[in-house]
Amino acid sequence: MSGPIVFCADVGSVSRQRFGWAKARPAQIAEDASSPGALAEAVADSLCNGNRVALGFEAPLVLPVPGVEKRLGAGRVNEGNRPWSAGSGAAVLATALVQVPWILNEVKRQTHDTSLKLCFDADRFRAGEGDFLLWEAFVSGRSKIAGKNVHAAEAQLAATAFSKVLDGSDPNPEWITVGDALPFSLIGAAALWSGWISSVKPLREAPNVLKVRPARET
């Protein structure tokens, strides 16, 4: 049995061509790599054909809600100097709030299969407990990536990295966590809104957040 198909989207303005998507295998950028609709169609087609799918988004999908007020807005563990709450992180988060549920809704609309089980944890997914895995990519050192379609290239980089996590060829992935804070899952909220889940429990559970480093970054 073949392994899961891994997709990733680099969230950004569609009108300014700052959105890009790719999948891990085959390692090539599609002609429609700047279209959220094309991504949704590709994911839905894969699921309808009986494939298990892991879909990631390069955008903050889980936020830390700390127990003390002084930590409100603080960054997540391993974010470094690019916290979710400032600069590009905050801007991408705002864009993701509409793009992510739109894409999930389109995938749901096109699959028509109520038996598909959504999952937010890679270990459970690898154990066969889900058909459709949602995860977050955190690509560091974006200035290291060059090319005509830098957004699709970043998505390709993240999708390939996550596929190595799933097949076990990366035994020590670098995860980002919310530390000792309570998770507020935006991807859980998007899944609830789009009809993939009916429980509110995933809103307080953190999805996998993989930190991805370009090959030339040290």
Side-chain angles (χ1 to χ4, degrees):
M1 183 177 179
S2 60
I5 299 177
V6 182
F7 292 88
C8 187
D10 181 19
V11 170
S13 171
V14 175
S15 62
R16 296 183 180 181
Q17 297 185 324
R18 293 176 180 173
F19 177 94
W21 69 272
K23 64 180 181 178
R25 299 184 181 93
Q28 62 186 33
I29 305 299
E31 292 184 5
D32 54 9
S34 61
S35 168
L39 168 61
E41 183 177 356
V43 171
D45 284 347
S46 296
L47 289 168
C48 288
N49 288 329
N51 298 290
R52 299 171 70 233
V53 173
L55 172 60
F57 295 92
E58 190 190 348
L61 298 182
V62 57
L63 309 181
V65 182
V68 294
E69 63 182 37
K70 289 184 178 180
R71 293 287 298 164
L72 287 168
R76 301 176 295 182
V77 178
N78 287 330
E79 278 190 319
N81 61 357
R82 291 179 57 207
W84 66 270
S85 54
S88 60
V92 173
L93 185 153
T95 303
L97 287 176
V98 291
Q99 285 188 3
V100 173
W102 187 91
I103 290 169
L104 293 184
N105 191 63
E106 280 297 295
V107 175
K108 182 69 174 177
R109 183 181 66 82
Q110 294 179 42
T111 55
H112 307 295
D113 188 347
T114 57
S115 68
L116 291 172
K117 185 177 179 181
L118 195 67
C119 184
F120 299 95
D121 180 80
D123 289 336
R124 293 179 181 177
F125 186 69
R126 283 189 295 189
E129 295 185 23
D131 306 293
F132 188 22
L133 173 68
L134 299 176
W135 56 282
E136 178 190 330
F138 183 95
V139 180
S140 63
R142 68 176 59 239
S143 61
K144 301 282 186 178
I145 301 175
K148 184 177 180 180
N149 193 332
V150 63
H151 305 289
E154 285 195 6
Q156 177 74 67
L157 177 74
T160 300
F162 199 77
S163 69
K164 292 179 179 179
V165 172
L166 291 180
D167 66 22
S169 58
D170 181 3
N172 297 300
E174 186 174 359
W175 300 112
I176 287 176
T177 71
V178 296
D180 58 358
L182 182 67
F184 172 35
S185 176
L186 299 180
I187 191 64
L192 181 65
W193 180 88
S194 57
W196 279 100
I197 59 174
S198 57
S199 171
V200 298
K201 184 179 178 182
L203 273 65
R204 286 180 172 236
E205 297 176 347
N208 293 126
V209 183
L210 180 65
K211 189 169 186 177
V212 181
R213 300 179 186 273
R216 287 181 290 168
E217 183 178 349
T218 58

